[in-house]
Amino acid sequence: MPLPPLVEPVAALSAAEAQRTARHLVLADLGELGQRRLRAAHIAVVGVGGLGSPVVLALAAAGVGTLTVIDDDVVELSNLQRQVLHRLADVDAPKVDSAVRVAADLAPETTVLPVRERLTATNAEALLSGADLVIDGSDTFETRTLVAAACERLGVPLVWGVVQEFAAQVTVFWSAPPAGVRPVVLSDLYPPEGVGELPSCAAVGVLGALCLQVGSVLAMEAIKLIAGIGEPLFGRVLLIDALRGRMSEVPLRGRAETSAAATSVPARPAVPHITAGALDDEIAAGAFVLDVREADEVAFGAIPGSRHAPLAEVLGRPDAFAAEGRVVVVCQRGVRAVRAAAALRSAGADAVVLTGGMDAWSAR
């Protein structure tokens, strides 16, 4: 549904800014008025990683007036596969420094306020206060929960996205939307009691190109809300399946409106787990251990007698392992093993997961 613009426009654009954003000024829905609203806007971006990087690039290029960029981390070499704001020369430097440099190169009239600080329960509201809109590009559900709670208290819209492996979700939460519009918040999508332990991208991986796509969608949602154009993803969740080249959406309504109408991401069926202490008994009873880590991980050590098949191979042909009796699936920490065991069980195998993976086995 169309929503009114979030901010009042500045009186005028400078001649240089008008020339730089000339292709925006001729857009029928955005135009010069919308561009002046972008110039007046203050957007807070939490995280300058895989999602925050393209968001900062897009919003600075779009002419957003002020960006508060919050991240306490430094650039690592493994970040460069997806965090396109940073360069090799930035390794070991604060991530927020990249945001300041790149935004200045793109749009000198955009002010970037770098905050090299970890967002916590005690400072979240203060860090986000003053922003017209917040974009969450953080990479842990704990931080996302803190950001969402602070936005709910502040009453500002939260443009929210998550990407993992080859899939992504994007939506907009808002606890205090315009009159006549019902609130939708994070707990409507992910009820606290149903979240459980979520894997990190370090554990399961993420496609770098997908981060660019999702970051672009996040920036577009912010632009629509600021300028009051189009139909933001408020009350809808955009689902992206990069491997199959599919984008779809599902409705999302506030639980206060009706719990039956609330749309949540369905949890995977439960997969049985065993402890590291029970592994010897499993092997003695005839089970075999399937190690689904990558070859470079296995090179550092493996459970004696285990069989190695990387996760992608197991997911690609689970039937090949289905007739081999009891299977104990192991990865480094247990996250990838859940996916493999679920696929094996769907193919008819009696598969269980070693809780805590190799880390737990090594620590026995």
Side-chain angles (χ1 to χ4, degrees):
M1 71 189 80
L3 297 172
L6 277 180
V7 302
E8 292 300 315
V10 297
L13 300 171
S14 70
E17 187 72 352
Q19 182 177 2
R20 196 184 66 80
T21 60
R23 299 302 180 270
H24 274 183
L25 304 186
V26 296
L27 284 172
D29 287 332
L30 185 65
E32 193 262 354
L33 176 61
Q35 189 62 45
R36 287 194 283 123
R37 294 190 192 279
L38 292 178
R39 182 72 181 83
H42 179 182
I43 296 177
V45 181
V46 181
V48 200
L51 296 182
S53 286
V55 163
V56 170
L57 286 167
L59 294 182
V64 170
T66 304
L67 296 173
T68 292
V69 180
I70 305 166
D71 198 311
D72 72 328
D73 206 358
V74 298
V75 180
E76 299 178 4
L77 186 61
S78 63
N79 296 154
L80 303 185
Q81 162 256 3
R82 64 199 178 280
Q83 300 182 19
V84 295
L85 199 66
H86 316 298
R87 300 293 179 264
L88 274 171
D90 297 322
V91 171
D92 295 329
K95 289 185 177 180
V96 293
D97 289 358
S98 300
V100 173
R101 183 192 70 245
V102 172
D105 288 343
L106 277 172
E109 294 186 332
T110 294
T111 299
V112 175
L113 305 176
V115 179
R116 192 184 177 191
E117 190 172 345
R118 179 172 292 277
L119 187 142
T120 66
T122 56
N123 68 11
E125 194 167 337
L127 293 181
L128 301 177
S129 181
D132 301 304
L133 176 147
V134 176
I135 299 179
D136 191 349
S138 59
D139 58 3
T140 69
F141 201 84
E142 178 185 6
T143 302
R144 294 178 197 138
T145 302
L146 297 176
V147 173
C151 289
E152 288 177 33
R153 293 191 296 270
L154 293 168
V156 298
L158 171 61
V159 179
W160 187 92
V162 59
V163 58
Q164 195 170 86
E165 298 177 287
F166 301 96
Q169 301 169 13
V170 181
T171 191
V172 173
F173 301 120
W174 201 350
S175 62
V181 180
R182 291 185 179 274
V184 181
V185 296
L186 176 63
S187 60
D188 296 322
L189 180 62
Y190 285 102
E193 66 276 9
V195 172
E197 184 178 354
L198 300 178
S200 67
C201 68
V204 299
V206 60
L207 182 67
L210 180 59
C211 292
L212 297 180
Q213 180 183 3
V214 176
S216 177
V217 175
L218 293 171
M220 186 65 224
E221 290 305 304
I223 290 170
K224 289 190 293 184
L225 287 162
I226 292 293
I229 62 174
E231 297 186 14
L233 285 168
F234 184 62
R236 298 179 293 146
V237 182
L238 178 68
L239 306 175
I240 301 174
D241 183 340
L243 278 183
R244 295 171 179 81
R246 294 174 183 167
M247 296 176 66
S248 58
E249 68 173 56
V250 294
L252 176 65
R253 297 183 178 89
R255 299 172 89 192
E257 180 179 350
T258 167
S259 59
T263 302
S264 297
V265 176
R268 292 190 178 116
V271 174
H273 285 58
I274 66 163
T275 64
L279 181 59
D280 289 343
D281 290 341
E282 289 280 349
I283 295 173
F288 85 92
V289 178
L290 180 63
D291 191 328
V292 298
R293 295 177 297 159
E294 299 302 312
D296 59 337
E297 295 175 284
V298 174
F300 286 99
I303 296 172
S306 62
R307 174 177 170 184
H308 175 231
L311 177 62
E313 179 183 338
V314 176
L315 297 180
R317 51 186 194 97
D319 293 348
F321 305 89
E324 301 194 31
R326 178 82 159 179
V327 184
V328 179
V329 188
V330 60
C331 64
Q332 194 63 39
R333 298 181 182 87
V335 176
R336 285 170 287 176
V338 172
R339 285 196 62 191
L344 292 171
R345 292 178 70 84
S346 296
D350 180 15
V352 298
V353 171
L354 179 65
T355 301
M358 281 297 298
D359 286 354
W361 183 82
S362 300
R364 286 188 310 171

